[in-house]
Amino acid sequence: VIMQRFIRGFSSKSVASSAFTSAVRNFAGKDGVYDGGHNHGYSSDDFKNKVMESYVEQVAMGQYAEHKPRAMMFVNKRPVEIIPQEENLLEVLEREGIRVPKFCYHPILSVAGNCRMCLVQVEGTQSLIVSCATACLPGMSIITDSRLVRDAREGNVELILVNHPNDCPICEQATNCDLQNIAMNYGTDMARYKEDKHAVEDFYFDPQTRVVLNRCIHCTRCVRYLSEHTQDFNLGMIGRGGLSEISTFLDELEIKTEYTQPVSQLCPVGKLYTSEADENNAEADAMC
């Protein structure tokens, strides 16, 4: 059954690239050099089957969760089964169906812990920990909906909205915005900040993407995606404190990779969006 499942995944190109590459490299010649299977006397189908057998052997050796040791922790005083040191608290909470607000965390990206929205409380203490950056430990007990946690999340939302523009009616991300949803569920309707908002000048990203930097909440999803998946290190966080912003380190630098479309999909707010949105808005205005 496992073999059939992974062969189907191979045919549909849904097999994880890193694990599959490892299986291909393990199936090499006696000299340890991988030559694509051309000098081993195998046809393409035979070579694919041999690679898949090596892949299944890795699964049987404990590369996946069902073969790893389990332990117990407590979430809201309820026992939960975990894989110690392999999962973070946020993954466990989402698996158990407990909704936790988050901006910076994404499964395909490294953990940053910038937004501080996924805070949970350690039971018996007044300590708050970031669930996305905390590994699960046996016997750990956390509370996800205490008064302390709710106040902390409400304060974080208020701080994020300090410099965020009130342009939801004209924002391309409206009704599909993580900030909108979290502000409605975890924020407050009594803003205490009355001063002027800090504005930031936009910069050129690429021909297919538009940037509205005033909407940025500094989750750094775009920075991590470009650096980890496209090896483009020109984008980053510059400045300190309230003057920090997402930009290129030098004015003459620009994004050079062609794979920038997922960046607009990863952005939790309307800072990055495709240029098609402007064309659709122009067509809608013409129709009106």
Side-chain angles (χ1 to χ4, degrees):
V1 175
I2 296 178
M3 185 66 173
Q4 294 175 354
R5 185 182 304 171
F6 279 98
I7 290 178
R8 287 197 300 267
F10 176 82
S11 61
S12 62
K13 297 183 179 180
S14 62
V15 177
S17 59
S18 59
F20 181 71
T21 304
S22 176
V24 172
R25 291 175 177 174
N26 288 338
F27 183 67
K30 293 182 180 180
D31 54 355
V33 179
Y34 166 66
D35 59 359
H38 302 294
N39 297 329
H40 295 293
Y42 300 115
S43 64
S44 59
D45 293 337
D46 292 336
F47 182 73
K48 181 180 70 174
N49 293 333
K50 291 292 184 180
V51 170
M52 295 311 301
E53 290 178 3
S54 176
Y55 198 2
V56 173
E57 288 178 1
Q58 292 185 16
V59 175
M61 292 171 59
Q63 299 294 323
Y64 287 80
E66 57 263 24
H67 301 283
K68 295 185 178 180
R70 303 300 180 98
M72 299 298 295
M73 66 169 292
F74 297 90
V75 177
N76 297 331
K77 301 182 179 180
R78 182 169 58 89
V80 174
E81 191 179 50
I82 62 170
I83 304 176
Q85 301 291 343
E86 292 288 336
E87 297 178 298
N88 59 46
L89 292 177
L90 184 58
E91 293 172 345
V92 173
L93 295 175
E94 290 184 342
R95 190 181 69 235
E96 294 298 318
I98 300 175
R99 187 172 64 176
V100 177
K102 58 185 182 296
F103 289 121
C104 62
Y105 175 80
H106 197 278
I108 69 171
L109 303 176
S110 60
V111 176
N114 297 334
C115 66
R116 290 300 197 249
M117 284 300 303
C118 61
L119 294 172
V120 295
Q121 181 181 0
V122 180
E123 186 177 5
T125 69
Q126 295 294 311
S127 300
L128 295 175
I129 56 177
V130 182
S131 60
C132 67
T134 305
C136 296
L137 297 175
M140 179 183 290
S141 181
I142 60 173
I143 304 295
T144 63
D145 196 29
S146 65
R147 179 60 182 272
L148 183 64
V149 173
R150 291 195 298 268
D151 290 344
R153 292 173 179 173
E154 181 179 313
N156 285 338
V157 172
E158 185 177 5
L159 291 175
I160 291 174
L161 294 176
V162 162
N163 289 318
H164 197 79
N166 300 323
D167 59 353
C168 292
I170 63 172
C171 179
E172 291 74 14
Q173 197 81 357
T175 71
N176 192 28
C177 176
D178 292 346
L179 182 58
Q180 269 187 344
N181 300 332
I182 291 178
M184 288 294 295
N185 293 320
Y186 301 95
T188 178
D189 58 349
M190 299 295 294
R192 293 175 291 178
Y193 188 82
K194 305 298 182 182
E195 286 75 12
D196 295 334
K197 295 179 179 291
H198 176 64
V200 183
E201 184 179 356
D202 300 336
F203 65 94
Y204 175 79
F205 193 84
D206 67 10
Q208 290 80 29
T209 308
R210 300 290 183 267
V211 178
V212 183
L213 208 56
N214 288 329
R215 301 172 184 168
C216 182
I217 60 173
H218 300 166
C219 69
T220 66
R221 282 188 182 184
C222 54
V223 175
R224 284 176 286 151
Y225 174 81
L226 291 175
S227 62
E228 296 169 8
H229 293 274
T230 67
Q231 304 302 311
D232 192 330
F233 303 96
N234 290 334
L235 194 68
M237 179 79 75
I238 63 175
R240 294 174 60 88
L243 300 178
S244 59
E245 60 182 85
I246 299 291
S247 180
T248 54
F249 296 103
L250 297 174
D251 294 338
E252 57 268 18
L253 293 179
E254 62 181 26
I255 307 302
K256 299 187 177 186
T257 180
E258 298 178 356
Y259 305 102
T260 58
Q261 291 300 311
V263 177
S264 59
Q265 301 296 325
L266 288 173
C267 183
V269 294
K271 186 195 79 170
L272 297 170
Y273 62 94
T274 59
S275 57
E276 297 177 356
D278 289 338
E279 299 175 1
N280 295 336
N281 292 340
E283 292 178 2
D285 293 338
M287 293 176 61
C288 296

